Amino acid sequence: MKLLVTGGLGFIGSNFILHLLEKNENLQITNVDAELTGSHNGNLSLIEKNENYNFIKGNITNRRLMEELISTCDVVVNFAAESFVDRSISNADPFLVSNIRGAFTILDLITKAKKKMIHISTDEVFGSLKSESATEEENLNPSNPYAATKASAELLIKSYIATYDTDVIITRCTNNYGPRQFPEKLIPKTILLAKQEKNIPIYGNGKNIRDWIFVNDHCDAIYKILLNGKSQEFYNISGNNEISNLEIVNEILKIMDKSNDLIEFVDDRPGHDYRYSLNSSKINQDLNWSPKINFKNGLETTIDWYLKNSEWIKEIPNNVLNQTPWKN
Ligand SMILES: NC(=O)c1ccc[n+]([C@@H]2O[C@H](COP(=O)([O-])OP(=O)(O)OC[C@H]3O[C@@H](n4cnc5c(N)ncnc54)[C@H](O)[C@@H]3O)[C@@H](O)[C@H]2O)c1
């Protein structure tokens, strides 16, 4: 199978490519990535010379480039997106470009070329939930600009399914953690600040809840969907592990044997959703998928990875750990 992966130098895309190449030698993977925020050159340095892998620096909004790449692939897996909520609050414009225009460019091209697309979306499209977990049928109710752009792409895809019978599947996943995540996000940021004994900022009272999934479990779910998922369906992918931001930071400090005096409560982010939660019975029943990695083990693996990969960390700009993008 010839796969075109977009955004493969980012966190989930790079783990997905590594996961697939480990599993299956009959895959030919082309990765197109514009090397924007979230990407890291070192994420796929291990496979630069792998003959089943090929990297193209390019933007998914470049219609001519994408048309050429799509003409030689069987399936596009679209990870490429601006992904950091905080930055979408300070400037949503790049989110509209990548997450809506970029997704639309691929959608339109695969429809015309009669190819297939797996589009990676997020639990954030449903907004904050009180006690229930969202099924695939839940109404879209995004409450930050990032989530709104992801929901917009979903609506465009739905309209293409109804109008053109496009061969596309949408996946929505809960919060991922694991190696290779850009350290502006909660878990790697906490690990790297704790390592330097620096204060760890927590928004508001730290009670906001997310459902965390180890990135390899997410990659496994996407692979199952790629092989056996039903066209034009939506699949929710949940880690079944709801935990507050404060509990996560405390758990990391405990594993790293650091004091929780490092925690510093700071102003809450505007529109900070209290809780996200997905019901993933559908993928569990239809594709026999469930998450395998227990949170504590996944967290230990993640901490170990960040502590051992100092070369990778050297390439991260210094200000990333100190910035509060939504205030900029
Ligand atoms: N990280 C999570 O917890 C999570 C959870 C659910 C869904 N998702 C979704 O999964 C996908 C991947 O997320 P991630 O955490 O790996 O993000 P990331 O920010 O780590 O990586 C995104 C990658 O996409 C690339 N990119 C962005 N815009 C592009 C464009 N216009 N053209 C080409 N490349 C472009 C970036 O350079 C980067 O390499 C996103 O679509 C995100 O919405 C993420």
Side-chain angles (χ1 to χ4, degrees):
M1 193 192 313
K2 288 185 186 148
L3 275 189
L4 177 60
V5 173
T6 72
L9 285 185
F11 168 44
I12 308 174
S14 61
N15 280 290
F16 180 71
I17 292 172
L18 292 171
H19 190 71
L20 256 55
L21 289 178
E22 248 171 45
K23 259 183 189 297
N24 188 334
E25 286 169 12
N26 292 324
L27 284 175
Q28 196 64 45
I29 301 178
T30 298
N31 169 19
V32 58
D33 194 301
E35 300 192 58
L36 304 177
T37 327
S39 73
H40 191 299
N41 259 327
N43 277 349
L44 291 179
S45 51
L46 270 178
I47 55 162
E48 263 163 15
K49 298 204 166 74
N50 187 316
E51 55 190 27
N52 295 324
Y53 171 73
N54 173 30
F55 173 66
I56 310 273
K57 179 170 177 175
N59 200 302
I60 58 167
T61 58
N62 180 339
R63 196 172 169 98
R64 199 178 303 163
L65 169 71
M66 292 309 290
E67 187 169 18
E68 193 186 316
L69 294 176
I70 286 170
S71 72
T72 56
C73 82
D74 301 310
V75 185
V76 184
V77 186
N78 183 32
F79 291 95
E82 289 289 341
S83 71
F84 193 29
V85 175
D86 293 29
R87 271 189 288 108
S88 80
I89 294 168
S90 108
N91 177 17
D93 201 37
F95 290 73
L96 271 75
V97 175
S98 292
N99 304 5
I100 305 179
R101 166 63 62 187
F104 167 74
T105 304
I106 299 170
L107 177 67
D108 194 50
L109 288 170
I110 59 129
T111 304
K112 293 192 166 115
K114 298 203 180 318
K115 298 287 171 84
K116 184 185 180 83
M117 172 184 189
I118 314 280
H119 177 74
I120 311 301
S121 193
T122 169
D123 59 356
E124 298 211 21
V125 295
F126 299 123
S128 197
L129 301 169
K130 286 195 181 78
S131 54
E132 71 283 23
S133 299
T135 65
E136 282 76 4
E137 281 72 45
E138 183 81 24
N139 288 334
L140 302 181
N141 186 26
S143 43
N144 61 64
Y146 159 71
T149 59
K150 296 296 288 186
S152 304
E154 288 201 12
L155 290 176
L156 277 168
I157 292 172
K158 268 188 139 173
S159 78
Y160 263 59
I161 292 174
T163 312
Y164 304 108
D165 199 25
T166 301
D167 188 0
V168 55
I169 297 177
I170 295 188
T171 71
R172 303 180 181 117
C173 191
T174 57
N175 271 35
N176 285 225
Y177 69 99
R180 302 179 186 83
Q181 184 171 32
F182 199 67
E184 60 187 4
K185 308 277 174 77
L186 179 70
I187 291 185
K189 186 172 186 166
T190 300
I191 298 169
L192 296 178
L193 288 172
K195 182 182 167 213
Q196 300 168 52
E197 307 265 349
K198 288 193 175 151
N199 280 357
I200 298 157
I202 293 197
Y203 290 151
N205 59 15
K207 292 197 175 150
N208 305 64
I209 293 174
R210 300 292 180 263
D211 178 356
W212 291 87
I213 183 170
F214 191 67
V215 64
N216 286 10
D217 275 332
H218 183 195
C219 294
D220 209 36
I222 299 169
Y223 189 51
K224 283 206 160 166
I225 289 166
L226 177 67
L227 297 182
N228 299 313
K230 211 164 150 208
S231 181
Q232 303 184 339
E233 294 278 327
F234 288 64
Y235 290 93
N236 287 354
I237 304 167
S238 148
N240 297 332
N241 177 53
E242 289 187 31
I243 176 166
S244 73
N245 291 347
L246 183 58
E247 285 171 302
I248 289 196
V249 171
N250 275 324
E251 188 64 35
I252 293 173
L253 292 173
K254 195 164 125 199
I255 297 172
M256 292 178 73
D257 199 19
K258 302 282 183 189
S259 160
N260 44 21
D261 289 346
L262 291 176
I263 292 174
E264 182 192 14
F265 292 96
V266 298
D267 290 349
D268 206 353
R269 176 174 87 194
H272 198 177
D273 285 330
Y274 168 63
R275 173 175 170 266
Y276 298 137
S277 178
L278 292 181
N279 175 330
S280 56
S281 325
K282 177 175 170 176
I283 184 170
N284 180 264
Q285 281 159 20
D286 295 0
L287 301 180
N288 192 25
W289 175 89
S290 56
K292 305 231 161 14
I293 318 277
N294 140 304
F295 187 61
K296 185 151 186 290
N297 293 345
L299 209 49
E300 281 170 358
T301 306
T302 307
I303 292 172
D304 197 47
W305 189 87
Y306 281 95
L307 296 183
K308 284 190 176 138
N309 282 275
S310 49
E311 287 305 310
W312 186 92
I313 289 151
K314 256 191 221 156
E315 287 173 35
I316 304 290
N318 283 335
N319 64 351
V320 166
L321 292 178
N322 309 323
Q323 65 186 2
T324 314
W326 63 265
K327 282 191 169 173
N328 296 346

